[in-house]
């Protein structure tokens, strides 16, 4: 609501300002009596007009029998009449007998004229724009402001004569001549175009920014094309103002440059769009660029207004092709890339009408001041918003990746710590076993046991050696499983298929786990249906799955907790089910439990042996065998792992 009121107030202020200025301009007829230069005087009515050429018509008095009275502006009213060549306008104003020299120089503003003109005051040539001989040099964009020299002005009647040469059938005065203080007229002209000039330089500097950015970052895609699009539109906007007289000495070359810039804009924008959306160029776009390339080369050799009108017409005829290509991209990829196109579409909706208005104005179809800089300013703002959104999104993704990397580093650090702990524990047991072998305990009288004696001190040498062997074997499992997981992920694993008893494999696996953990669970149940079931599979992979699932059930539950192992064939699939009645897992844990280096919850994870790749290996193994692994659990309800593997029949 605040924004709406702000815009409304600004619009009202502009309209009020325009109204106040307009009320200060006095509209008069030729022959008016001027008593003061303090207010601008617009000469509108009773102009004398005549086609043809005679230098005597510049004089203060001529025979006006064959002259026609006109009101101005009269631009384009004689489209059916061929007025190519010379035609004249005459008007007069009266100064009082006590006329005194103006304090500030006075001038007359004639506006833009097609194509060449000479201005006479009381029969004296004051100034001119363009030339007919020896070489045709036109200028139909310069706003004519000609001084009214004080020494030529006189009391009584003063005569204005304008000699115009039209190179095409486009003629007339585009605005009513205005007499006022010269400095004010020129300042007003500069002020009216200041915003466009500033926009032009902003577009150029913005383009240079994107161009340097594309070079520094080594990306010559969308930034490269958008940079040149912005630079070209910046120069185009400057050339549409009186600033062209600063950039070029010759109007001909300035207008040729303006047309060349205009021809390049659709191709640059379409290429920016293709690069930004990572879309391949099609044959229609290539053909359109060839057409524009030919038009570009031909325009270099055109020097006359008629040829320029032809170029603009050919450009406008092909402009719908560019619009169609852009529309095709938006319809084809807009739905899936709406996030990357939203603000570009808004900016394009603001830009296209201004391009059409400028093109129609250049063809003299309508008489309207340049507006493309306004459209492109909005377009550039929308592009900036789009690129800013992409930048913010990229930064957000980068931060998320940083968080993931930090988390992964922590997990990897935990993995290395766990692995180091396992090796340290194994080396301590090996060292203890070696000490027991080197220094066997002496036979002494039985002593009363004390609570201060540790468990390791009560073990005999055989038990210590057996534990050391089991721990060495366990460390070997950890290394082998890490290598196996890498082979499965890189698809370099070489399987060895054979037929074996699944019941025997399960019991061997359980025995190895119990020896390593020092747990002999009485509440373990193993059920294989049938007991004598033999399967044709890869024993190494089946052993890995059983060992990790059963070991997890052991280390994450209390010794008194029941653990069951089931294996049976049903509907062409082997089912391996490991169930425990421990604390279970939350939904959050279940979502990440199969990820690498992620371990189940327990108050003291560091006390639990393992490296955090067991369940990841189980899932990778099941997938390698063409099966699946699933988990059913809830906090306080235990856990149930279900592995399904398709039955493999031994080849005859």
């Amino acid at each position: 609501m605040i924004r709406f009121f702000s815009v409304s107030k600004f619009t009202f202020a502009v309209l009020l300002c325009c109204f106040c200025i307009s009320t200060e301009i006095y509209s008069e007829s030729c022959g008016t009596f001027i008593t003061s230069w303090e207010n601008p005087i617009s000469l509108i009515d009773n102009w004398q007009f005549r086609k043809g050429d005679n230098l005597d018509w510049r004089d203060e008095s001529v025979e006006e029998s064959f002259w026609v009275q006109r009101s101005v502006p009269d631009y384009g009213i004689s489209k059916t009449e061929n007025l190519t060549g010379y035609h004249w306008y005459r008007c007069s104003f009266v100064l009082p007998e006590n006329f005194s020299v103006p304090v500030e120089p006075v001038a007359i503003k004639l506006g833009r004229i097609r194509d060449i003109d000479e201005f006479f005051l009381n029969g004296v040539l004051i100034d001119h724009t363009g030339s007919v001989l020896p070489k045709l040099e036109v200028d139909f964009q310069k706003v004519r402001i000609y001084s009214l020299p004080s020494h030529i002005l006189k009391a009584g009647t003063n005569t204005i004569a304008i000699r115009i040469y039209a190179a095409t059938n486009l003629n007339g005065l585009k605005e009513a001549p205005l007499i006022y203080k010269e400095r004010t007229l020129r300042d007003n002209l500069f002020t009216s175009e200041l915003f466009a000039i500033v926009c032009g330089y902003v577009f150029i500097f913005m383009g240079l920014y994107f161009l340097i950015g594309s070079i520094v970052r080594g990306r010559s895609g969308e930034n490269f094309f958008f940079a040149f699009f912005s630079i070209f539109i910046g120069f185009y906007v400057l050339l549409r103002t009186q600033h062209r007289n600063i950039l070029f000495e010759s109007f001909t070359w300035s207008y040729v440059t303006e047309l060349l810039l205009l021809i390049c804009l659709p191709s640059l924008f379409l290429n920016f769009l293709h690069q930004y959306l990572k879309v391949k160029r099609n044959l229609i776009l290539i053909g359109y660029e060839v057409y524009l390339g030919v038009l570009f080369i031909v325009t270099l050799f055109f020097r006359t207004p008629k040829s320029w009108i032809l170029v603009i017409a050919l450009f406008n005829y092909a402009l719908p092709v560019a619009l169609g290509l852009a529309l095709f991209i938006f319809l084809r990829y807009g739905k899936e890339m709406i996030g990357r196109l939203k603000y570009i579409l808004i900016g394009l909706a603001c830009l296209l009408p201004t391009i059409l208005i400028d093109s129609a104005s250049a063809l003299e179809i309508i008489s309207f001041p340049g507006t493309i800089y306004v459209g492109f300013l909005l377009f550039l703002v929308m592009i900036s918003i789009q690129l800013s959104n992409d930048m913010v999104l990229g930064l957000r993704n980068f931060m998320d990746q940083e968080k993931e990397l930090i988390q992964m580093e922590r997990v990897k650090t935990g993995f290395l710590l766990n692995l180091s702990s396992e090796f340290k524990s194994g080396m301590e047991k090996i060292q203890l076993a070696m000490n027991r072998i080197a220094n066997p305990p002496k036979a002494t009288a039985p002593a009363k046991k004390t609570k201060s004696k540790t468990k390791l001190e009560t073990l005999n040498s055989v038990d210590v050696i057996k534990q050391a062997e089991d721990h060495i074997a366990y460390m070997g499992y950890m290394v082998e499983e890490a290598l196996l997981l890498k082979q499965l992920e890189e698809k370099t694993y070489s399987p060895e298929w054979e037929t074996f008893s699944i019941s025997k494999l399960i019991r061997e696996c359980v025995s190895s786990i119990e020896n390593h953990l020092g747990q002999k669970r009485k509440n373990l149940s193993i059920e294989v249906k049938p007991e004598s079931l033999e399967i044709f599979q890869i024993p190494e992979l089946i052993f890995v799955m059983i060992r990790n699932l059963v070991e997890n059930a052991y280390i994450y539950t209390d010794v008194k907790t029941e653990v069951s192992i089931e294996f049976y064939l049903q509907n062409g699939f082997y089912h391996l089910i490991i169930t425990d009645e421990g604390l279970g897992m939350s939904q959050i844990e279940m979502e990440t439990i199969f990820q690498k280096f992620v371990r189940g919850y327990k108050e003291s994870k560091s006390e639990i042996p393992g490296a955090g790749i067991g369940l990841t290996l189980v899932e990778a193994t099941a997938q390698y065998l063409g099966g699946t692994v699933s988990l059913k659990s809830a906090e306080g309800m235990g856990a149930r792992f279900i592995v399904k593997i398709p039955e493999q029949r031994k080849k005859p």
Side-chain angles (χ1 to χ4, degrees):
M1 184 65 71
I2 295 174
R3 188 176 179 182
F4 173 78
F5 281 130
S6 299
V7 174
S8 301
K9 290 179 180 178
F10 176 77
T11 306
F12 177 77
V14 172
L15 293 176
L16 182 62
C17 181
C18 294
F19 175 77
C20 293
I21 293 174
S22 64
T23 55
E24 295 178 357
I25 299 176
Y26 292 92
S27 300
E28 301 288 351
S29 301
C30 290
T32 187
F33 189 77
I34 300 177
T35 59
S36 172
W37 308 105
E38 293 304 318
N39 294 308
I41 299 172
S42 179
L43 300 174
I44 294 178
D45 299 323
N46 298 329
W47 280 81
Q48 299 292 319
F49 171 81
R50 184 171 181 177
K51 180 184 176 183
D53 187 38
N54 188 335
L55 285 178
D56 292 338
W57 294 344
R58 66 187 174 181
D59 295 337
E60 295 183 59
S61 61
V62 297
E63 175 59 45
E64 297 183 347
S65 302
F66 299 98
W67 291 71
V68 179
Q69 276 197 353
R70 278 191 178 180
S71 296
V72 293
D74 61 343
Y75 187 77
I77 66 171
S78 301
K79 288 185 177 180
T80 58
E81 182 184 0
N82 185 10
L83 293 179
T84 302
Y86 283 105
H87 48 283
W88 287 69
Y89 287 85
R90 288 174 58 84
C91 183
S92 63
F93 59 90
V94 180
L95 296 177
E97 291 296 332
N98 59 350
F99 163 74
S100 60
V101 176
V103 177
E104 293 187 39
V106 179
I108 184 170
K109 178 184 176 184
L110 302 179
R112 293 178 174 86
I113 295 177
R114 298 288 307 238
D115 292 294
I116 302 165
D117 67 278
E118 295 174 337
F119 176 73
F120 300 89
L121 175 63
N122 294 331
V124 179
L125 176 64
I126 302 301
D127 206 343
H128 72 282
T129 300
S131 62
V132 178
L133 294 175
K135 183 180 179 182
L136 184 67
E137 289 286 346
V138 303
D139 189 340
F140 45 79
Q141 291 293 344
K142 180 182 178 181
V143 176
R144 276 70 162 173
I145 298 178
Y146 297 139
S147 298
L148 300 180
S150 300
H151 67 278
I152 299 178
L153 291 172
K154 62 180 182 177
T157 302
N158 292 264
T159 303
I160 295 171
I162 307 172
R163 183 192 188 198
I164 298 176
Y165 181 86
T168 63
N169 193 30
L170 299 169
N171 53 80
L173 295 177
K174 291 187 174 182
E175 59 183 81
L178 184 68
I179 299 176
Y180 196 44
K181 299 173 183 178
E182 183 174 357
R183 181 178 58 83
T184 304
L185 290 176
R186 297 191 184 278
D187 288 347
N188 289 344
L189 175 61
F190 175 78
T191 303
S192 65
E193 295 183 337
L194 180 61
F195 183 66
I197 293 173
V198 171
C199 286
Y201 280 109
V202 168
F203 301 156
I204 292 172
F205 288 128
M206 182 64 71
L208 292 175
Y209 168 78
F210 279 102
L211 183 61
I212 294 173
S214 67
I215 295 173
V216 171
R217 294 196 301 168
R219 297 178 60 186
S220 57
E222 65 269 19
N223 287 344
F224 179 82
F225 285 106
F226 183 75
F228 277 100
F229 181 71
S230 184
I231 292 172
F232 280 26
I233 203 77
F235 278 111
Y236 179 80
V237 169
L238 291 178
L239 292 177
R240 297 286 291 176
T241 68
Q242 301 304 302
H243 209 67
R244 73 164 70 237
N245 301 321
I246 299 175
L247 299 175
F248 288 89
E249 293 183 0
S250 168
F251 173 80
T252 299
W253 277 110
S254 73
Y255 198 73
V256 169
T257 304
E258 180 182 332
L259 293 178
L260 295 177
L261 294 173
L262 184 64
I263 292 170
C264 293
L265 292 180
S267 178
L268 290 173
F269 176 73
L270 289 173
N271 277 282
F272 156 73
L273 208 56
H274 279 75
Q275 291 289 331
Y276 183 70
L277 298 178
K278 310 302 180 187
V279 179
K280 291 184 178 180
R281 293 151 48 89
N282 53 38
L283 292 177
I284 299 178
L285 175 58
I286 296 174
Y288 181 67
E289 289 179 336
V290 171
Y291 173 84
L292 292 180
V294 173
L295 189 60
F296 184 94
I297 295 173
V298 171
T299 305
L300 289 171
F301 301 96
F302 284 173
R303 299 288 185 273
T304 63
K306 288 184 178 180
S307 60
W308 295 337
I309 292 175
L310 176 62
V311 169
I312 296 173
L314 293 174
F315 173 80
N316 285 342
Y317 293 150
L319 192 59
V321 177
L323 298 178
L325 288 170
L327 183 62
F328 169 77
I329 293 175
F330 292 139
L331 293 178
R332 172 65 178 82
Y333 303 99
K335 187 175 181 181
E336 57 191 66
M337 297 185 180
I338 188 63
R340 306 198 70 189
L341 287 174
K342 179 171 59 177
Y343 292 104
I344 295 179
L345 284 171
I346 298 173
L348 193 61
C350 299
L351 179 63
L352 286 180
T354 61
I355 294 177
L356 296 175
I357 290 172
D358 269 34
S359 298
S361 179
L363 284 173
E364 305 290 345
I365 298 174
I366 60 175
S367 180
F368 206 82
T371 57
I372 194 169
Y373 61 90
V374 178
F376 187 73
L377 179 63
L378 297 174
F379 178 72
L380 188 62
V381 169
M382 293 298 108
I383 290 289
S384 300
I385 293 174
Q386 187 70 65
L387 295 179
S388 298
N389 281 355
D390 292 346
M391 187 180 299
V392 171
L393 182 60
L395 181 61
R396 189 174 299 164
N397 291 337
F398 175 77
M399 293 175 64
D400 291 341
Q401 290 176 0
E402 282 290 309
K403 290 180 180 178
E404 291 179 2
L405 288 174
I406 293 173
Q407 183 65 24
M408 184 60 69
E409 287 299 321
R410 290 176 179 173
V411 170
K412 288 181 179 179
T413 302
F415 166 72
L416 294 175
L417 289 174
N418 292 330
L419 197 60
S420 300
S421 177
E422 293 298 324
F423 276 96
K424 180 182 178 182
S425 177
M427 295 304 296
E428 288 176 349
K429 291 184 178 181
I430 293 172
Q431 182 67 34
L432 182 59
M434 292 177 64
N435 291 337
R436 285 297 178 92
I437 294 173
N439 302 300
K442 297 180 179 180
T444 58
K448 185 178 180 181
K449 294 183 180 180
T450 63
K451 293 183 180 180
S452 62
K453 291 185 178 181
T454 64
K455 185 178 181 180
L456 289 176
E457 290 175 342
T458 60
L459 296 175
N460 57 38
S461 299
V462 177
D463 292 334
V464 173
I465 295 172
K466 185 69 172 71
Q467 281 194 1
E469 290 176 348
D470 288 340
H471 210 87
I472 292 172
Y474 179 78
M475 289 189 293
Y477 288 145
M478 293 177 63
V479 175
E480 290 174 1
E481 288 182 354
L483 294 175
L484 176 60
L485 180 60
K486 180 181 179 182
Q487 291 174 348
L488 292 175
E489 290 178 339
E490 296 178 353
K491 299 181 180 180
T492 59
Y493 178 70
S494 299
E496 295 183 4
W497 296 78
E498 61 180 83
T499 302
F500 57 91
S501 170
I502 186 63
S503 179
K504 181 180 179 182
L505 183 70
I506 292 175
R507 296 184 186 281
E508 290 177 354
C509 182
V510 170
S511 176
S512 173
I513 293 170
E514 290 183 342
N515 288 335
H516 168 64
L517 298 177
Q519 296 184 19
K520 297 291 184 179
R521 296 212 177 190
K522 298 179 180 180
N523 46 7
L524 171 68
S525 64
I526 301 175
E527 185 176 2
V528 179
K529 300 177 183 178
E531 180 68 25
S532 59
L533 177 64
E534 292 188 347
I535 65 174
F536 180 68
Q537 267 293 346
I538 307 172
E540 179 185 18
L541 299 186
I542 303 298
F543 184 88
V544 164
M545 286 193 295
I546 297 173
R547 193 186 76 80
N548 281 285
L549 291 175
V550 174
E551 185 180 62
N552 280 348
Y554 272 49
I555 62 179
Y556 284 101
T557 61
D558 187 79
V559 178
K560 299 179 181 180
T561 302
E562 292 187 3
V563 176
S564 66
I565 305 173
E566 299 177 64
F567 195 97
Y568 57 88
L569 176 63
Q570 184 179 29
N571 299 327
F573 282 86
Y574 292 118
H575 291 67
L576 172 63
I577 303 174
I578 312 293
T579 307
D580 67 72
E581 296 181 358
L583 297 177
M585 286 178 277
S586 66
Q587 185 64 34
I588 297 177
E589 287 182 283
M590 291 172 62
E591 291 176 358
T592 60
I593 196 65
F594 289 103
Q595 294 180 10
K596 194 182 296 184
F597 308 130
V598 175
R599 308 187 68 194
Y601 170 79
K602 199 167 184 180
E603 292 181 358
S604 301
K605 286 185 180 180
S606 59
E607 299 177 1
I608 301 174
I613 63 172
L615 292 180
T616 305
L617 182 58
V618 170
E619 185 178 49
T621 302
Q623 291 176 354
Y624 179 84
L625 296 175
T628 60
V629 57
S630 60
L631 168 63
K632 295 181 179 180
S633 182
E635 290 185 288
M637 301 297 292
R640 182 181 180 89
F641 288 88
I642 304 171
V643 180
K644 294 182 180 180
I645 303 172
E647 179 186 10
Q648 298 288 340
R649 299 187 180 276
K650 186 176 180 180
K651 297 181 180 179

